[in-house]
Amino acid sequence: MFFALFFIAGLGLGVALLYGYQRRQTRAHRRIPRDWPLAVRPLVNNREKLVWVWLAKVMFDQQVLVKLPVTRFTAPKPGTDAAHWYHLLNGVYCSFTVCSMEGQIIGCIDVPGPQGLSMSNQTLKHNLLSHCGLHYLVVDPANLPHLIQIRTAFLGEHAARGNGVNSQLESQFKDVRENLHAIVDRKRNSNGGGKSSAIAQLDATMPNTSEYGESQQLAPGWEQNSFITPLDSRAADLGN
């Protein structure tokens, strides 16, 4: 009898100690750190910089937002599991999001990295955004579409050829394309036509905007882009 009481008391004490330990751990995780273990790094990489400059000129009458998660401009339908969809989509974003001056999202643009952009990633974003009535394009900085082409796709025929799309804008667009092609040609010639493509060398020709360049080693779980993309390998439909 004494042994049973001793065992029960010891068990209760152990549970109490475990509960107290867990509470202390929870408070420690919630406590704001005195020194944040973070460092500043560039918002865009060098390939994205090229498209960003070009896109700002082409979409001169719109806003260009950088790496905006889709959860910022989409919302679950009534009766759905909002927490589930938020957890699933919170890490999904596009390189650039085109937004009207009134705050209306028009479409999204992705810039493929040196290794390209997986078809599953493109398909997922295309299906998701199209379902919401938004446009989606993948733009390679070495093969920029014409301003009429992208403005027509995003804004319609009238907006593409009117509202200030004049010879001056055409000239700006031409300057951006010629500058980009000059970078590619210069790098190709300097390598003597070696096995590395000129596209793969674009990063080396553009200066980084921070001492924390793209070559910096990031902590596990962080990628070169601003947000992780957990759905990159998923080809399944997100639902009807």
Side-chain angles (χ1 to χ4, degrees), residues 69-105:
V70 299
T71 50
R72 291 298 304 165
F73 55 84
T74 59
K77 294 181 179 179
T80 58
D81 187 352
H84 166 74
W85 290 112
Y86 180 82
H87 176 73
L88 187 66
L89 298 175
N90 190 41
V92 179
Y93 73 100
C94 295
S95 303
F96 303 105
T97 300
V98 179
C99 172
S100 71
M101 295 298 183
E102 293 73 33
Q104 183 68 37
I105 300 298

Side-chain angles (χ1 to χ4, degrees), residues 147-161:
L147 69 91
I148 298 298
Q149 178 184 351
I150 189 170
R151 285 184 64 87
T152 300
F154 275 57
L155 305 174
E157 184 71 23
H158 177 71
R161 298 184 180 277

Side-chain angles (χ1 to χ4, degrees), residues 20-231:
Y21 173 77
Q22 290 177 338
R23 283 184 59 114
R24 287 194 300 273
Q25 289 294 103
T26 300
R27 286 198 298 269
H29 283 299
R30 292 179 178 176
R31 187 179 299 118
I32 297 176
R34 180 175 300 175
D35 296 316
W36 292 92
L38 302 172
V40 175
R41 63 188 178 102
L43 181 61
V44 295
N45 62 36
N46 293 322
R47 291 170 58 87
E48 292 165 340
K49 284 185 220 173
L50 296 172
V51 177
W52 194 3
V53 171
W54 168 80
L55 193 59
K57 294 180 181 295
V58 172
M59 293 294 183
F60 64 96
D61 52 350
Q62 311 296 323
Q63 297 285 350
V64 180
L65 310 178
V66 182
K67 297 185 178 177
L68 192 69
V70 299
T71 50
R72 291 298 304 165
F73 55 84
T74 59
K77 294 181 179 179
T80 58
D81 187 352
H84 166 74
W85 290 112
Y86 180 82
H87 176 73
L88 187 66
L89 298 175
N90 190 41
V92 179
Y93 73 100
C94 295
S95 303
F96 303 105
T97 300
V98 179
C99 172
S100 71
M101 295 298 183
E102 293 73 33
Q104 183 68 37
I105 300 298
I106 298 171
C108 298
I109 293 172
D110 262 335
V111 179
Q115 305 303 320
L117 189 66
S118 71
M119 186 55 64
S120 62
N121 192 309
Q122 295 183 48
T123 301
L124 182 145
K125 293 177 184 177
H126 175 75
N127 291 341
L128 187 156
L129 295 171
S130 297
H131 184 79
C132 297
L134 301 175
H135 303 283
Y136 175 71
L137 288 177
V138 177
V139 175
D140 192 317
N143 188 26
L144 297 172
H146 193 275
L147 69 91
I148 298 298
Q149 178 184 351
I150 189 170
R151 285 184 64 87
T152 300
F154 275 57
L155 305 174
E157 184 71 23
H158 177 71
R161 298 184 180 277
N163 297 331
V165 183
N166 50 29
S167 58
Q168 181 179 359
L169 182 61
E170 288 274 6
S171 177
Q172 291 177 340
F173 174 78
K174 182 180 179 181
D175 290 343
V176 173
R177 289 183 64 93
E178 289 179 349
N179 181 59
L180 177 59
H181 286 306
I183 292 174
V184 174
D185 292 339
R186 184 167 62 250
K187 200 63 185 179
R188 182 187 295 118
N189 293 335
S190 67
N191 289 331
K195 64 179 181 179
S196 297
S197 69
I199 305 305
Q201 302 296 330
L202 281 174
D203 284 350
T205 66
M206 299 290 290
N208 282 318
T209 57
S210 167
E211 63 179 327
Y212 301 99
E214 295 156 336
S215 62
Q216 182 186 11
Q217 294 295 322
L218 301 179
W222 291 75
E223 298 185 3
Q224 294 293 351
N225 293 311
S226 293
F227 302 97
I228 59 173
T229 50
L231 301 183

